[in-house]
């Protein structure tokens, strides 16, 4: 078995043990194993970075159930707690799209198609956050994802924030 040592800084940050670590490649299993000095093995399947999804987080001063009801066939509410009088819901799309741009465009269309009373309610919500999720991957190539200018203008019109979440590969 050929042993290669890599200086992956992100792996040092993910592990509680920050001492000598070595990455081994097993060509038969096509997995990588991180070996710590305590002889613990952590298998890492090689993966490239990829787009996961976009979540829509809404914070409001009033009950969000009318929006949840209106979008029941298009969007899935993942979390909908009420904490200390604050209302919150996190949506994801019922259908998946391969890119962040297509997913965000769908969210924009859902907002554009709101009836006037719900659109007014929407505009009064203090936080309307799009959160793009990516998995970091362990292999090349790098991920490059672009949002066209016309979409960025819609995001600025309908949402209060565009967040990016980068999840470590498991």
């Amino acid at each position: 078995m050929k042993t290669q040592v890599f200086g992956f800084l992100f792996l040092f940050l993910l592990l509680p043990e920050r001492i000598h670590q070595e990455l081994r490649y097993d060509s038969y299993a096509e997995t990588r194993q991180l070996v710590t000095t305590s002889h613990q093995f952590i298998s890492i399947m090689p993966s490239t970075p990829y787009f996961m999804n976009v979540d829509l987080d809404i914070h409001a001063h009033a009950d969000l159930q009318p929006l949840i009801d209106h979008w029941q066939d298009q969007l899935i509410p993942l979390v909908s707690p009420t904490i200390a009088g604050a209302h919150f819901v996190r949506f994801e799309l019922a259908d998946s799209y391969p890119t962040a741009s297509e997913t965000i465009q769908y969210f924009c269309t859902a907002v554009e198609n709101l009836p006037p009373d719900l659109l007014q309610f929407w505009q009064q919500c203090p936080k309307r956050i799009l959160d793009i999720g990516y998995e970091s991957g362990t292999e090349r190539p790098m991920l490059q994802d672009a949002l066209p200018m016309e979409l960025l203008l819609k995001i600025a019109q309908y949402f209060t924030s565009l967040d990016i979440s980068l999840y470590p590969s498991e």
Side-chain angles (χ1 to χ4, degrees):
M1 178 186 309
K2 185 176 180 183
T3 301
Q4 297 175 330
V5 178
F6 295 90
F8 285 110
L9 177 60
F10 72 93
L11 289 175
F12 281 76
L13 296 174
L14 294 176
L15 294 172
E17 189 173 358
R18 295 180 184 219
I19 44 185
H20 177 71
Q21 297 172 346
E22 178 178 340
L23 194 59
R24 295 184 180 186
Y25 181 70
D26 182 349
S27 60
Y28 298 107
E30 292 192 10
T31 62
R32 292 189 176 180
Q33 296 178 329
L34 188 63
V35 184
T36 66
T37 54
S38 63
H39 304 289
Q40 297 172 332
F41 290 89
I42 302 171
S43 290
I44 303 170
M45 294 298 296
S47 65
T48 58
Y50 67 91
F51 163 71
M52 294 171 61
N53 68 348
V54 177
D55 291 331
L56 169 60
D57 294 347
I58 305 170
H59 298 254
H61 299 297
D63 186 11
L64 287 158
Q65 195 60 48
L67 276 177
I68 294 170
D69 293 341
H70 179 77
W71 282 332
Q72 68 182 349
D73 295 331
Q74 301 168 301
L75 308 177
I76 300 168
L78 301 177
V79 180
S80 184
T82 301
I83 303 169
H87 301 272
F88 170 77
V89 66
R90 172 171 292 144
F91 286 108
E92 71 176 20
L93 296 185
D95 297 321
S96 63
Y97 290 88
T99 67
S101 292
E102 291 175 272
T103 307
I104 292 170
Q105 180 58 53
Y106 191 93
F107 278 119
C108 290
T109 302
V111 172
E112 291 168 345
N113 292 331
L114 285 172
D117 60 327
L118 285 178
L119 184 58
Q120 182 179 8
F121 175 77
W122 168 264
Q123 292 168 339
Q124 293 172 352
C125 294
K127 292 184 180 179
R128 303 175 308 269
I129 303 165
L130 290 172
D131 185 1
I132 305 172
Y134 296 97
E135 183 169 314
S136 63
T138 59
E139 301 288 321
R140 292 185 181 267
M142 68 170 207
L143 173 70
Q144 188 172 21
D145 201 356
L147 301 177
M149 186 56 67
E150 53 276 357
L151 185 58
L152 290 171
L153 292 171
K154 284 186 177 186
I155 292 168
Q157 179 180 357
Y158 298 127
F159 304 96
T160 60
S161 180
L162 177 63
D163 296 354
I164 297 173
S165 296
L166 186 60
Y167 296 93
S169 296
E170 295 189 12

